[in-house]
Amino acid sequence: MMQDGTINLEDYTKSDWTITLNDRVITSFTTHEGSKLIIGRSPDADVVIDNTAISRHHSSLELRDGRHYLADLKSTNGTTVNGKKIASKVPISNKDVIFIGKFRLIQAAADEQHASSSYATAMDIDDEATVFVSSPRQQAAAQPGQATTPSTTTEIYRLTVVEGSASPASLSLDGKSSVKIGKDPSCDMIISGWLVGKPQCYVVSKKDKYFIVPQRAWANTKLNDVIIKEERLLRKGDIIQIKSVKIRFD
């Protein structure tokens, strides 16, 4: 809502979502007004959860006229809202407790969404990735005449290609909550290759630490020469490898 009390309709045309398992973030994505996303295990799902407890096409989530609707797509392990299994499309809000199989689906609170939308960079309407958010420190610096507040975190992390080819060859993580690596044109770092996944992996910031979250793909994601299938903490100097491409986290 604007300072004069009027409603900014742009704030209500998208929402941020997170899928967690035992309080661990599995993936994040954004819904946009008029969009319908399929959540499932299949690589052709809009939001992929690579777990046998999830059906290939498990649930659908859509945003219509500013309201979200969730439906179960005849999944094996069901979709629940506030402890009750659903079948047909039902309206949901950020106050509902939602599970897709054993995974929890969480919508950001309205005030958090609106704060984030002030800093969110542009992205494709069908992009399932996290909104990449610029830090308040960067936003303040971009506004002439305003004093900037020194950040308590001065260290800036970066992904740098040290072997093979990717675009860009170097990517700053400053001000980003998540970056997507893969062959899809919407990725922040693009790696071409027949077996590389559209989203091959994500690098996610959580509580001043960075984690790599591999996605389902024909090509393996390696961390320091070891194939990884689950989220791993990143440390300075770690090497992420996708086929012949090696990326250093530092």
Side-chain angles (χ1 to χ4, degrees), residues 30-31 150 176 178 186 220 250:
T30 298
T31 52
K176 295 180 173 67
S178 171
S186 67
N220 291 318
D250 53 21

Side-chain angles (χ1 to χ4, degrees), residues 4-216:
D4 61 2
T6 61
I7 294 175
N8 182 359
L9 294 179
E10 184 180 354
D11 290 344
Y12 294 88
T13 61
K14 63 183 179 180
S15 295
D16 299 338
W17 296 82
T18 301
I19 293 176
T20 66
L21 178 64
N22 300 326
D23 295 325
R24 180 167 61 90
V25 174
I26 303 301
T27 190
S28 300
F29 62 95
T30 298
T31 52
H32 296 261
E33 176 62 43
S35 68
K36 181 178 180 179
L37 301 181
I38 303 300
I39 303 170
R41 193 179 75 249
S42 174
D44 65 2
D46 299 293
V47 181
V48 179
I49 307 176
D50 187 10
N51 188 282
T52 54
I54 299 297
S55 298
R56 291 178 60 81
H57 291 169
H58 196 109
S59 306
S60 68
L61 178 64
E62 60 182 302
L63 176 56
R64 301 285 177 188
D65 300 322
R67 192 165 191 181
H68 284 92
Y69 297 88
L70 182 71
D72 185 77
L73 303 178
K74 299 181 179 179
S75 67
T76 301
N77 291 316
T79 303
T80 63
V81 177
N82 300 324
K84 296 181 179 180
K85 281 193 174 184
I86 64 170
S88 57
K89 184 168 63 177
V90 299
I92 56 173
S93 72
N94 57 19
K95 296 180 180 180
D96 291 322
V97 178
I98 304 165
F99 279 89
I100 298 174
K102 61 183 179 181
F103 294 84
R104 185 169 181 180
L105 177 64
I106 302 171
Q107 181 186 3
D111 55 347
E112 293 175 355
Q113 290 179 33
H114 299 168
S116 295
S117 68
S118 300
Y119 312 121
T121 61
M123 62 187 299
D124 293 337
I125 192 167
D126 291 325
D127 198 336
E128 74 282 7
T130 309
V131 173
F132 302 148
V133 179
S134 301
S135 65
R137 173 171 55 86
Q138 289 181 317
Q139 179 76 0
Q143 297 177 355
Q146 288 189 357
T148 59
T149 302
S151 172
T152 56
T153 304
T154 58
E155 192 168 24
I156 297 176
Y157 291 90
R158 180 176 296 275
L159 297 174
T160 304
V161 178
V162 295
E163 190 173 313
S165 178
S167 179
S170 181
L171 178 65
S172 172
L173 301 179
D174 186 35
K176 295 180 173 67
S177 60
S178 171
V179 299
K180 181 169 64 171
I181 302 173
K183 68 179 180 183
D184 192 84
S186 67
C187 290
D188 298 272
M189 181 173 280
I190 300 173
I191 300 175
S192 60
W194 179 254
L195 300 178
V196 177
K198 288 185 177 181
Q200 176 74 29
C201 63
Y202 293 92
V203 173
V204 180
S205 172
K206 293 188 294 182
K207 297 181 180 179
D208 298 324
K209 294 182 180 180
Y210 284 90
F211 298 80
I212 181 171
V213 184
Q215 302 296 294
R216 186 175 183 178

